Amino acid sequence: MSFARRAATVLAAATALTAGLALPALAHVTVQPGTAEQGSFTKVAFRVPNERDDASTTKIEVSFPTDHPLAFVSVKPVPGWDVKVTEGKLPAPVKTEYGDLEEAVTKVVWSGGKIEPGQFQEFEVSMGQLPTGTDSLMFPTKQTYSGGEVVDWSEAPKADGTEAEHPAPLLKLVPAAGDGAASASPSAAASTAGAAATPSVAPVAAASPSDGTARLLGGAGLVAGVAGVVIGFLGLRRRPTA
């Protein structure tokens, strides 16, 4: 084998290995944006990528927290999808500025549509009032594929900081900007949600700026890794024989 062919083989192998290690971390179900202010009303989108090459995603089931329940939850219609919002009795009443909350939304299910291979879908929800006694909310999600497979995105963040294999969508809560920043009312939050653009269905390559940053860092790591392999290979080839 010529030197050029051997170098091309090493380069291709290194690229495949690096890409295989980097890409799966980008394919989780996530909350976008990933942060919101404590005590506020907000609109988020549950971003669901299709991870399978031979099946479509046909159902999404998002569970809402009952330890920090949300008094107001509304969903934005998604063309081609049916939505069912389930309310349930809480384990114990929760005091809010609107009175004791005994029931709240516990689950939202989207079904009837399809997320094809190589695409993602965003499911938008307006909700509040976000709690002030915690720094995050988890939304365990089940993703059902057309072949019958169900992927359960429900694992909490690990104590050592490493990512779980199937992490639950996580909304981080940060302190309010200041006393002068007034939180939006439920009607204002719902109005904002209604005025937003229709959720997009597009190839994964059309991801948000945060995804783009992750891809950029991954690409930089890929280039550095490949360069190291090639330089090492050239160094071994040029080493004088004994």
Side-chain angles (χ1 to χ4, degrees), residues 199-211:
S200 59
V201 180
V204 176
S208 70
S210 60
D211 284 351

Side-chain angles (χ1 to χ4, degrees), residues 10 27 111 166 170 189 217:
V10 171
S111 61
H166 293 97
L170 188 71
L217 294 175

Side-chain angles (χ1 to χ4, degrees), residues 10-23 222 226:
V10 171
L11 181 62
T15 301
L17 177 60
T18 306
L21 293 174
L23 291 180
L222 171 62
V226 170

Side-chain angles (χ1 to χ4, degrees), residues 26-219:
L26 301 176
H28 302 329
V29 177
T30 57
V31 176
Q32 300 292 331
T35 60
E37 286 190 356
Q38 295 174 345
S40 70
F41 289 81
T42 189
K43 184 190 73 173
V44 300
F46 293 95
R47 177 173 296 171
V48 183
N50 186 9
E51 293 186 309
R52 302 293 178 260
D53 296 329
D54 57 353
S56 300
T57 295
T58 57
K59 181 180 176 181
I60 298 297
E61 179 180 315
V62 179
S63 295
F64 279 63
T66 56
D67 55 344
H68 296 287
L70 301 169
F72 301 95
V73 175
S74 60
V75 297
K76 183 175 182 179
V78 182
W81 292 80
D82 300 320
V83 61
K84 180 180 179 181
V85 179
T86 301
E87 291 189 6
K89 193 172 183 64
L90 299 174
V94 176
K95 292 186 179 297
T96 72
E97 63 179 276
Y98 305 101
D100 288 350
L101 187 65
E102 297 183 353
E103 293 188 352
V105 171
T106 57
K107 186 184 300 182
V108 179
V109 178
W110 289 269
S111 61
K114 284 186 177 182
I115 307 175
E116 302 288 354
Q119 296 181 347
F120 71 88
Q121 176 67 60
E122 291 184 342
F123 301 89
E124 293 183 311
V125 176
S126 176
M127 59 189 185
Q129 188 175 8
L130 298 179
T132 57
T134 182
D135 60 3
S136 65
L137 292 177
M138 278 181 46
F139 297 87
T141 300
K142 292 182 179 180
Q143 180 178 10
T144 301
Y145 287 92
S146 54
E149 178 189 8
V150 178
V151 180
D152 191 2
W153 303 97
S154 61
E155 296 180 27
K158 293 185 177 181
D160 61 2
T162 59
E163 189 174 60
E165 183 177 359
H166 293 97
L170 188 71
L171 178 64
K172 294 183 179 180
L173 303 180
V174 298
D179 295 336
S183 298
S185 66
S187 59
S191 175
T192 301
T198 302
S200 59
V201 180
V204 176
S208 70
S210 60
D211 284 351
T213 301
R215 294 174 185 275
L216 179 61
L217 294 175

